[in-house]
PDB file of all heavy atoms in Angstrom:
ATOM      1  N   LEU A 562     -38.724 230.542  22.302  1.00 96.00           N
ATOM      2  CA  LEU A 562     -39.261 230.006  23.558  1.00 96.00           C
ATOM      3  C   LEU A 562     -38.154 229.815  24.584  1.00 96.00           C
ATOM      4  O   LEU A 562     -38.305 230.174  25.757  1.00 96.00           O
ATOM      5  CB  LEU A 562     -39.960 228.658  23.295  1.00 96.00           C
ATOM      6  CG  LEU A 562     -41.360 228.698  22.679  1.00 96.00           C
ATOM      7  CD1 LEU A 562     -41.810 227.303  22.316  1.00 96.00           C
ATOM      8  CD2 LEU A 562     -42.345 229.334  23.649  1.00 96.00           C
ATOM      9  N   GLN A 563     -37.071 229.257  24.143  1.00 95.00           N
ATOM     10  CA  GLN A 563     -35.986 228.972  25.087  1.00 95.00           C
ATOM     11  C   GLN A 563     -35.360 230.249  25.648  1.00 95.00           C
ATOM     12  O   GLN A 563     -35.025 230.311  26.826  1.00 95.00           O
ATOM     13  CB  GLN A 563     -34.909 228.122  24.410  1.00 95.00           C
ATOM     14  CG  GLN A 563     -35.342 226.666  24.248  1.00 95.00           C
ATOM     15  CD  GLN A 563     -34.342 225.833  23.470  1.00 95.00           C
ATOM     16  OE1 GLN A 563     -33.513 226.380  22.737  1.00 95.00           O
ATOM     17  NE2 GLN A 563     -34.411 224.530  23.626  1.00 95.00           N
ATOM     18  N   ASP A 564     -35.210 231.251  24.792  1.00 94.00           N
ATOM     19  CA  ASP A 564     -34.647 232.512  25.279  1.00 94.00           C
ATOM     20  C   ASP A 564     -35.587 233.165  26.282  1.00 94.00           C
ATOM     21  O   ASP A 564     -35.151 233.741  27.287  1.00 94.00           O
ATOM     22  CB  ASP A 564     -34.380 233.465  24.114  1.00 94.00           C
ATOM     23  CG  ASP A 564     -33.071 233.122  23.412  1.00 94.00           C
ATOM     24  OD1 ASP A 564     -32.375 232.210  23.898  1.00 94.00           O
ATOM     25  OD2 ASP A 564     -32.758 233.755  22.387  1.00 94.00           O
ATOM     26  N   ALA A 565     -36.887 233.079  25.992  1.00 95.00           N
ATOM     27  CA  ALA A 565     -37.874 233.631  26.915  1.00 95.00           C
ATOM     28  C   ALA A 565     -37.789 232.887  28.248  1.00 95.00           C
ATOM     29  O   ALA A 565     -37.843 233.490  29.319  1.00 95.00           O
ATOM     30  CB  ALA A 565     -39.270 233.510  26.318  1.00 95.00           C
ATOM     31  N   GLU A 566     -37.650 231.581  28.153  1.00 94.00           N
ATOM     32  CA  GLU A 566     -37.552 230.759  29.358  1.00 94.00           C
ATOM     33  C   GLU A 566     -36.362 231.203  30.213  1.00 94.00           C
ATOM     34  O   GLU A 566     -36.474 231.395  31.420  1.00 94.00           O
ATOM     35  CB  GLU A 566     -37.396 229.287  28.953  1.00 94.00           C
ATOM     36  CG  GLU A 566     -37.288 228.339  30.137  1.00 94.00           C
ATOM     37  CD  GLU A 566     -37.076 226.887  29.704  1.00 94.00           C
ATOM     38  OE1 GLU A 566     -37.352 226.550  28.537  1.00 94.00           O
ATOM     39  OE2 GLU A 566     -36.611 226.111  30.541  1.00 94.00           O
ATOM     40  N   LYS A 567     -35.237 231.394  29.547  1.00 92.00           N
ATOM     41  CA  LYS A 567     -34.036 231.814  30.273  1.00 92.00           C
ATOM     42  C   LYS A 567     -34.264 233.150  30.976  1.00 92.00           C
ATOM     43  O   LYS A 567     -33.778 233.387  32.064  1.00 92.00           O
ATOM     44  CB  LYS A 567     -32.874 231.935  29.289  1.00 92.00           C
ATOM     45  CG  LYS A 567     -31.895 230.774  29.423  1.00 92.00           C
ATOM     46  CD  LYS A 567     -30.811 230.852  28.367  1.00 92.00           C
ATOM     47  CE  LYS A 567     -30.860 229.645  27.464  1.00 92.00           C
ATOM     48  NZ  LYS A 567     -30.395 229.908  26.112  1.00 92.00           N
ATOM     49  N   LEU A 568     -35.007 234.000  30.283  1.00 92.00           N
ATOM     50  CA  LEU A 568     -35.259 235.336  30.808  1.00 92.00           C
ATOM     51  C   LEU A 568     -36.159 235.281  32.047  1.00 92.00           C
ATOM     52  O   LEU A 568     -36.062 236.104  32.945  1.00 92.00           O
ATOM     53  CB  LEU A 568     -35.962 236.138  29.704  1.00 92.00           C
ATOM     54  CG  LEU A 568     -35.765 237.637  29.653  1.00 92.00           C
ATOM     55  CD1 LEU A 568     -34.299 237.952  29.474  1.00 92.00           C
ATOM     56  CD2 LEU A 568     -36.588 238.199  28.496  1.00 92.00           C
ATOM     57  N   LEU A 569     -37.041 234.300  32.074  1.00 94.00           N
ATOM     58  CA  LEU A 569     -38.081 234.273  33.099  1.00 94.00           C
ATOM     59  C   LEU A 569     -37.771 233.342  34.263  1.00 94.00           C
ATOM     60  O   LEU A 569     -38.493 233.334  35.251  1.00 94.00           O
ATOM     61  CB  LEU A 569     -39.412 233.840  32.470  1.00 94.00           C
ATOM     62  CG  LEU A 569     -40.093 234.872  31.566  1.00 94.00           C
ATOM     63  CD1 LEU A 569     -41.213 234.229  30.785  1.00 94.00           C
ATOM     64  CD2 LEU A 569     -40.624 236.034  32.403  1.00 94.00           C
ATOM     65  N   GLN A 570     -36.744 232.539  34.134  1.00 91.00           N
ATOM     66  CA  GLN A 570     -36.586 231.536  35.180  1.00 91.00           C
ATOM     67  C   GLN A 570     -35.770 232.050  36.367  1.00 91.00           C
ATOM     68  O   GLN A 570     -34.915 232.917  36.228  1.00 91.00           O
ATOM     69  CB  GLN A 570     -35.989 230.247  34.621  1.00 91.00           C
ATOM     70  CG  GLN A 570     -34.526 230.341  34.260  1.00 91.00           C
ATOM     71  CD  GLN A 570     -34.090 229.140  33.451  1.00 91.00           C
ATOM     72  OE1 GLN A 570     -34.850 228.239  33.175  1.00 91.00           O
ATOM     73  NE2 GLN A 570     -32.831 229.124  33.080  1.00 91.00           N
ATOM     74  N   ASP A 571     -36.114 231.499  37.517  1.00 88.00           N
ATOM     75  CA  ASP A 571     -35.358 231.858  38.720  1.00 88.00           C
ATOM     76  C   ASP A 571     -34.130 230.947  38.805  1.00 88.00           C
ATOM     77  O   ASP A 571     -33.834 230.196  37.880  1.00 88.00           O
ATOM     78  CB  ASP A 571     -36.247 231.734  39.958  1.00 88.00           C
ATOM     79  CG  ASP A 571     -36.818 230.348  40.121  1.00 88.00           C
ATOM     80  OD1 ASP A 571     -36.301 229.423  39.460  1.00 88.00           O
ATOM     81  OD2 ASP A 571     -37.774 230.174  40.889  1.00 88.00           O
ATOM     82  N   ASN A 572     -33.458 231.011  39.946  1.00 83.00           N
ATOM     83  CA  ASN A 572     -32.174 230.307  39.994  1.00 83.00           C
ATOM     84  C   ASN A 572     -32.288 228.785  40.022  1.00 83.00           C
ATOM     85  O   ASN A 572     -31.283 228.094  39.906  1.00 83.00           O
ATOM     86  CB  ASN A 572     -31.331 230.816  41.170  1.00 83.00           C
ATOM     87  CG  ASN A 572     -32.101 230.728  42.468  1.00 83.00           C
ATOM     88  OD1 ASN A 572     -33.222 230.213  42.502  1.00 83.00           O
ATOM     89  ND2 ASN A 572     -31.512 231.231  43.529  1.00 83.00           N
ATOM     90  N   ILE A 573     -33.493 228.251  40.181  1.00 81.00           N
ATOM     91  CA  ILE A 573     -33.578 226.797  40.052  1.00 81.00           C
ATOM     92  C   ILE A 573     -34.426 226.405  38.852  1.00 81.00           C
ATOM     93  O   ILE A 573     -34.908 225.281  38.745  1.00 81.00           O
ATOM     94  CB  ILE A 573     -34.124 226.119  41.323  1.00 81.00           C
ATOM     95  CG1 ILE A 573     -35.480 226.729  41.700  1.00 81.00           C
ATOM     96  CG2 ILE A 573     -33.140 226.207  42.472  1.00 81.00           C
ATOM     97  CD1 ILE A 573     -36.338 225.755  42.466  1.00 81.00           C
ATOM     98  N   GLY A 574     -34.605 227.319  37.925  1.00 83.00           N
ATOM     99  CA  GLY A 574     -35.247 226.961  36.675  1.00 83.00           C
ATOM    100  C   GLY A 574     -36.763 226.998  36.701  1.00 83.00           C
ATOM    101  O   GLY A 574     -37.404 226.483  35.813  1.00 83.00           O
ATOM    102  N   GLU A 575     -37.341 227.600  37.734  1.00 87.00           N
ATOM    103  CA  GLU A 575     -38.803 227.721  37.755  1.00 87.00           C
ATOM    104  C   GLU A 575     -39.204 229.135  37.326  1.00 87.00           C
ATOM    105  O   GLU A 575     -38.397 230.059  37.339  1.00 87.00           O
ATOM    106  CB  GLU A 575     -39.336 227.431  39.164  1.00 87.00           C
ATOM    107  CG  GLU A 575     -39.125 226.009  39.635  1.00 87.00           C
ATOM    108  CD  GLU A 575     -39.990 224.990  38.891  1.00 87.00           C
ATOM    109  OE1 GLU A 575     -41.077 225.356  38.409  1.00 87.00           O
ATOM    110  OE2 GLU A 575     -39.558 223.834  38.785  1.00 87.00           O
ATOM    111  N   LEU A 576     -40.474 229.258  36.952  1.00 89.00           N
ATOM    112  CA  LEU A 576     -40.979 230.547  36.490  1.00 89.00           C
ATOM    113  C   LEU A 576     -40.910 231.584  37.612  1.00 89.00           C
ATOM    114  O   LEU A 576     -41.446 231.382  38.693  1.00 89.00           O
ATOM    115  CB  LEU A 576     -42.430 230.387  36.004  1.00 89.00           C
ATOM    116  CG  LEU A 576     -43.078 231.633  35.394  1.00 89.00           C
ATOM    117  CD1 LEU A 576     -42.464 231.953  34.040  1.00 89.00           C
ATOM    118  CD2 LEU A 576     -44.572 231.445  35.271  1.00 89.00           C
ATOM    119  N   ASP A 577     -40.259 232.690  37.319  1.00 91.00           N
ATOM    120  CA  ASP A 577     -40.118 233.765  38.290  1.00 91.00           C
ATOM    121  C   ASP A 577     -41.239 234.771  38.018  1.00 91.00           C
ATOM    122  O   ASP A 577     -41.166 235.552  37.068  1.00 91.00           O
ATOM    123  CB  ASP A 577     -38.738 234.413  38.111  1.00 91.00           C
ATOM    124  CG  ASP A 577     -38.458 235.472  39.153  1.00 91.00           C
ATOM    125  OD1 ASP A 577     -39.427 235.990  39.756  1.00 91.00           O
ATOM    126  OD2 ASP A 577     -37.273 235.780  39.369  1.00 91.00           O
ATOM    127  N   THR A 578     -42.293 234.736  38.827  1.00 90.00           N
ATOM    128  CA  THR A 578     -43.494 235.526  38.519  1.00 90.00           C
ATOM    129  C   THR A 578     -43.250 237.028  38.663  1.00 90.00           C
ATOM    130  O   THR A 578     -43.850 237.821  37.946  1.00 90.00           O
ATOM    131  CB  THR A 578     -44.670 235.105  39.415  1.00 90.00           C
ATOM    132  OG1 THR A 578     -44.197 234.973  40.743  1.00 90.00           O
ATOM    133  CG2 THR A 578     -45.256 233.782  38.972  1.00 90.00           C
TER     134      THR A 578
END
Side-chain angles (χ1 to χ4, degrees):
Chain A
L562 282 172
Q563 285 175 340
D564 279 356
E566 180 182 341
K567 255 175 242 150
L568 209 60
L569 288 168
Q570 72 192 359
D571 58 15
N572 54 5
I573 55 153
E575 295 290 332
L576 184 71
D577 184 339
T578 45

